[in-house]
Amino acid sequence: MEVMTNHGFRKTIKYLRAFIIISLIGLGCMLVVFLGILGYAKILGAPPLAVPQSTLFFANDGTLIGESNSGQKRYWVPLEEISPNLINATVSIEDKNYYEHNGFDYKRIIGALVADIKAGAKVQGASTITQQYARNLFLEHDKTWSRKLHEAFYAIRIEMNYSKEEILEGYLNTIYYGSGAYGVQAASQFYFGKNASELSLAESSMLAGVPKGPSYYSPLESLDNAKRRQSIILNTMVENGYIKKETAQKAKETALTFTGEHPHKRVEAAPYFQDAVKNALQNQLNLDEKTIQLGGLKVYTTLDLKQQEAAEKQIQQTIASGSEIQVGLVAMDPKNGHVRAMVGGRNYDESPFNRAVQAVRQPGSTIKPILYYAALSQGFTPSSTMRSEKTTFKIDEGRTEYSPHNFNNKYADGEITLAQALAVSDNIYAVKTHLFMGIETLIKNAKKFGISTEMDKVPSLALGTSGVRVIDMANAYSIFANGGKKVNPTLITKVEDYNGNVIFESNPEAERVLDPAKAFVMTHMMTGMFDKKLNGYAKVTGNSLIDDITRTYAGKSGSTETDSWMIGYTPQLVTAVWAGHDVGIPITLTAEKSYAKNIWANFMEESLKGKPVKAFSPPKEGVVGVYVNPENGKLASKDCPVRRFTYFVAGTQPTEYCTDHLEHKEEKPSEKKEEKKDPWYKRIFNWGA
């Protein structure tokens, strides 16, 4: 019997030893696996914590004008901009041991496991804030063991690489609070109409209860359910030492007011401009569409809301409701190219096609200032004269004929000056100048002015028969307005990522591309379209606007059968307006032909109302101003009945005085009349008439 007992004891010891060895091996394997998991997590490094967020767009005064519209409201705020009441309430109800554990609350896990085994299903959660954050970032919300394992692994990676403050900040900015609100900032604004930093204890404890079941615990869905959940949260805050019992009771009794709407609804401000901004983010800053839509960017733009509203109002008031005329408008600050207003059509919802930046239309006579700037570089002056008469040009060695005509077929049938030709928009003068300089000259100068569209090498190019974009023409005139410095249409001044890091900031370098003297002479000549002194055989093209404007403008109108333009500026603002039919149908109604001019004049007046009246200042050197007779360009004495102060590039001003106003004595028979000579341009080129 004793032998059997000893044998049994030894056998028991043997089994016990085997069990211990197997257990140690098992524990060792588990340790190896655990260390392997930790090592693998370390190798993978920190998981990215970026989450989908709304991109916000701001006007130049910081006013929000729009946001990426994905149906979700997501705004990131740093932890220090979240009310401590909300932080404490969330930690107290969701994960009271958050600051002590390393991502897992083992007591809660064991308790939840027991409950699940008893129920035979996944019925109780034990996820910490870290685990919930991992799920919000990377996983679906299904209740499966596979998802829990993935969640645990991501939680390990997050805890290994981020501080508790960073994790808590991320969690509070990603958790769903219902009604499309993701994160505490969007939720605070939706439920209480205030920022997350401004929440009281009563509001915080109410809001902290919503994520458990937004459709059940939202105070907008059931105030009773929300109040019961709030009471539980306040009690846990007392138990966990965050607040006193009296404070909790006072918070429970506090009546709350709920807003129930997002402050940032779908913004209608400048939809064409916003589209252009998104296009610039993609094509100029090389940001992908996902980043633009869901990257939580803050995009600061150049838009002036008052000027934008003025542009939209003038278009609506000017164009008849039944008219099918469309419109494109761009207003820019000529000093830096900042686009202050943009309208790409009369109704964005009906037609999002942006006629301000996408449409290519014939500019008509608005191309002439670019032509005449080139002419100033080839010896022309405001007083250079040519004959304005019905003319047929023979080109291609006489094989082709071209017969342009003036508006209403009106011609001076005599000599006119360059300044007068520009003011009345004489087409014959323009084509003669174009052919005299060579067709390539205008094409080269157009590129210098930032016009990127292709131009045909034809005589009619001087009359604007090759298409351009509205924004390019506004930019070209800006170079005149600022005295010859290159600018580019700028829509964005700064872009920040969701953490507030600046990823782009506009900092253009000034580059002079025009001669300041010649640019100023052109600007001064362009004031002539509003000066009745330059009326000759025809009225100046701005005659109908003269009584409606209150300050000095420079500008040029233009028209083709299908397009109507007006571009003009002051030192502070340049605006280009196009009006016409999308499909190139001729503009036949008289009222429709004046839309572009009227919109331009009314917009400029309203935009500049209350702002200083600034004159165009000549450069310190390089120009000379003298009085001339506007009809012949000669120097005008004080006795001349009509004279206009005109600027010239220094050294090119006229030296001959006009004597047309003097009474001439009858010529004596012995006096030999001076032989009449052909004008200088006919002596250079033998153009047929």
Side-chain angles (χ1 to χ4, degrees):
M1 187 70 178
E2 184 179 348
V3 173
M4 290 296 294
T5 303
N6 290 336
H7 177 73
F9 179 74
R10 287 195 299 271
K11 191 175 182 180
T12 301
I13 294 298
K14 181 180 179 181
Y15 281 125
L16 182 60
R17 185 183 296 114
F19 175 76
I20 293 173
I21 293 172
I22 292 171
S23 298
L24 290 174
I25 293 173
L27 289 173
C29 291
M30 291 178 62
L31 181 60
V32 170
V33 171
F34 181 69
L35 292 175
I37 292 173
L38 293 179
Y40 183 55
K42 191 65 177 178
I43 292 172
L44 290 177
L49 299 186
V51 296
Q53 295 178 57
S54 300
T55 288
L56 304 179
F57 300 90
F58 300 92
N60 65 346
D61 63 353
T63 302
L64 181 77
I65 61 172
E67 65 177 309
S68 56
N69 185 23
S70 63
Q72 300 176 356
K73 306 293 181 179
R74 298 176 181 263
Y75 316 117
W76 192 284
V77 289
L79 195 63
E80 57 267 23
E81 292 182 20
I82 300 174
S83 168
N85 292 316
L86 182 57
I87 295 173
N88 294 337
T90 301
V91 171
S92 185
I93 194 62
E94 295 292 341
D95 188 359
K96 65 178 183 180
N97 297 318
Y98 171 71
Y99 293 104
E100 284 73 45
H101 63 63
N102 60 354
F104 304 94
D105 191 329
Y106 300 106
K107 289 183 180 180
R108 289 180 66 189
I109 292 175
I110 294 172
L113 183 61
V114 171
D116 292 346
I117 292 173
K118 287 182 179 180
K122 188 76 176 67
V123 296
Q124 191 175 109
S127 295
T128 62
I129 282 177
T130 306
Q131 289 173 278
Q132 292 182 58
Y133 186 29
R135 182 170 66 247
N136 290 341
L137 287 175
F138 309 111
L139 303 168
E140 299 297 329
H141 287 249
D142 55 313
K143 294 184 177 182
T144 64
W145 288 108
S146 174
R147 192 268 294 165
K148 292 296 291 184
L149 290 173
H150 282 89
E151 178 185 293
F153 183 65
Y154 275 115
I156 291 171
R157 292 179 63 193
I158 290 173
E159 285 279 348
M160 288 177 67
N161 292 281
Y162 296 100
S163 68
K164 286 290 186 180
E165 288 72 22
E166 289 173 318
I167 297 170
L168 185 57
E169 177 181 306
Y171 172 77
L172 290 170
N173 277 290
T174 56
I175 193 169
Y176 184 53
Y177 288 87
S179 300
Y182 286 80
V184 292
Q185 180 69 357
S188 299
Q189 292 176 341
F190 176 75
Y191 287 104
F192 301 109
K194 59 177 63 176
N195 293 324
S197 61
E198 302 167 331
L199 293 173
S200 66
L201 175 61
E203 292 166 336
S204 296
S205 55
M206 178 70 72
L207 193 58
V210 176
K212 181 175 177 62
S215 62
Y216 189 78
Y217 292 111
S218 167
L220 302 178
E221 298 293 335
S222 172
L223 185 58
D224 289 339
N225 292 341
K227 290 288 290 182
R228 281 195 294 271
R229 180 70 175 165
Q230 179 198 38
S231 180
I232 292 172
I233 292 172
L234 288 168
N235 290 340
T236 63
M237 293 182 74
V238 173
E239 293 171 6
N240 295 323
Y242 288 110
I243 57 175
K244 294 181 178 180
K245 189 174 183 178
E246 296 78 13
T247 305
Q249 187 60 37
K250 185 176 180 181
K252 293 176 186 179
E253 296 171 355
T254 301
L256 299 177
T257 301
F258 304 103
T259 302
E261 64 177 22
H262 293 286
H264 305 152
K265 297 180 181 179
R266 183 175 182 271
V267 182
E268 300 292 342
Y272 291 103
F273 178 85
Q274 289 193 47
D275 276 359
V277 168
K278 293 172 186 175
N279 185 66
L281 289 171
Q282 191 168 7
N283 296 325
Q284 297 176 20
L285 275 62
N286 298 317
L287 299 177
D288 59 78
E289 188 172 349
K290 184 177 180 181
T291 300
I292 296 170
Q293 291 296 325
L294 301 172
L297 305 177
K298 291 183 178 179
V299 183
Y300 298 91
T301 75
T302 59
L303 187 77
D304 185 302
L305 276 175
K306 291 183 179 179
Q307 292 185 9
Q308 179 67 28
E309 291 170 1
E312 293 173 358
K313 183 182 78 171
Q314 293 305 327
I315 289 170
Q316 184 179 13
Q317 291 180 350
T318 303
I319 301 179
S321 58
S323 174
E324 294 183 356
I325 289 289
Q326 277 294 351
V327 66
L329 178 150
V330 173
M332 291 174 58
D333 184 335
K335 296 188 296 296
N336 49 29
H338 288 185
V339 175
R340 298 305 187 195
M342 177 185 290
V343 180
R346 293 172 61 191
N347 189 312
Y348 180 83
D349 291 330
E350 292 180 2
S351 174
F353 178 71
N354 193 337
R355 296 154 188 87
V357 299
Q358 292 176 286
V360 177
R361 304 304 299 248
Q362 294 181 347
S365 293
T366 59
I367 202 72
K368 290 176 181 176
I370 297 175
L371 171 73
Y372 292 144
Y373 174 83
L376 293 180
S377 299
Q378 296 201 18
F380 282 67
T381 77
S383 291
S384 295
T385 58
M386 290 189 194
R387 285 186 66 81
S388 169
E389 58 189 357
K390 191 173 182 180
T391 305
T392 296
F393 297 90
K394 295 180 179 180
I395 55 179
D396 293 336
E397 298 180 352
R399 292 190 297 271
T400 305
E401 292 185 349
Y402 173 56
S403 302
H405 60 85
N406 283 346
F407 179 70
N408 287 337
N409 285 309
K410 287 186 177 181
Y411 305 91
D413 290 324
E415 301 286 326
I416 61 172
T417 66
L418 171 56
Q420 193 175 48
L422 182 61
V424 302
S425 202
D426 188 277
N427 289 337
I428 305 302
Y429 197 111
V431 175
K432 287 180 177 180
T433 304
H434 179 48
L435 294 176
F436 170 73
M437 294 190 299
I439 291 176
E440 293 283 353
T441 302
L442 177 53
I443 296 174
K444 291 179 181 178
N445 271 267
K447 291 180 179 179
K448 182 187 296 184
F449 279 85
I451 296 175
S452 57
T453 48
E454 293 294 324
M455 293 195 161
D456 297 326
K457 299 178 182 179
V458 293
S460 62
L461 182 61
L463 308 184
T465 54
S466 286
V468 296
R469 296 182 178 87
V470 176
I471 195 167
D472 285 346
M473 292 302 288
N475 185 63
Y477 277 58
S478 292
I479 301 176
F480 282 129
N482 67 31
K485 294 179 181 178
K486 180 181 179 180
V487 291
N488 292 306
T490 300
L491 306 173
I492 303 168
T493 56
K494 185 173 66 173
V495 180
E496 295 178 353
D497 66 13
Y498 74 96
N499 279 322
N501 300 314
V502 177
I503 61 175
F504 169 80
E505 192 160 15
S506 176
N507 188 23
E509 295 182 3
E511 177 187 354
R512 188 168 296 282
V513 292
L514 303 184
D515 177 83
K518 296 182 179 69
F520 177 77
V521 169
M522 277 308 310
T523 287
H524 192 258
M525 274 202 287
M526 279 191 274
T527 64
M529 74 167 288
F530 306 106
D531 189 346
K532 291 183 178 180
K533 291 180 180 180
L534 289 172
N535 281 340
Y537 67 91
K539 292 181 179 179
V540 292
T541 53
N543 187 73
S544 63
L545 304 177
I546 292 174
D547 294 335
D548 299 325
I549 57 179
T550 59
R551 61 182 71 206
T552 300
Y553 295 101
K556 186 73 188 77
S557 60
S559 62
T560 69
E561 284 190 350
T562 58
D563 305 279
S564 177
W565 290 76
M566 179 63 209
I567 312 175
Y569 55 92
T570 66
Q572 305 109 302
L573 188 65
V574 175
T575 301
V577 182
W578 165 85
H581 295 281
D582 280 334
V583 293
I585 300 173
I587 303 174
T588 56
L589 299 179
T590 302
E592 292 180 342
K593 293 179 179 179
S594 63
Y595 281 161
K597 285 183 180 178
N598 292 335
I599 291 169
W600 175 87
N602 293 332
F603 168 74
M604 292 294 284
E605 286 290 303
E606 185 171 349
S607 294
L608 296 171
K609 187 176 181 180
K611 296 184 179 181
V613 177
K614 292 187 177 181
F616 296 109
S617 301
K620 295 180 179 180
E621 55 184 22
V623 297
V624 173
V626 295
Y627 282 99
V628 300
N629 182 332
E631 292 191 3
N632 57 30
K634 296 179 181 179
L635 290 172
S637 66
K638 294 181 180 179
D639 298 324
C640 282
V642 180
R643 60 182 191 154
R644 186 180 195 265
F645 193 75
T646 304
Y647 282 96
F648 296 80
V649 176
T652 69
Q653 66 270 25
T655 57
E656 181 182 356
Y657 276 91
C658 172
T659 58
D660 290 356
H661 63 286
L662 299 177
E663 293 182 5
H664 295 280
K665 297 179 180 179
E666 292 185 3
E667 291 181 335
K668 296 180 180 179
S670 58
E671 289 180 335
K672 184 178 180 180
K673 292 184 178 180
E674 183 180 352
E675 182 180 353
K676 186 176 181 181
K677 297 181 180 180
D678 286 336
W680 62 272
Y681 63 87
K682 284 191 176 182
R683 298 197 299 272
I684 297 175
F685 286 96
N686 186 21
W687 285 321

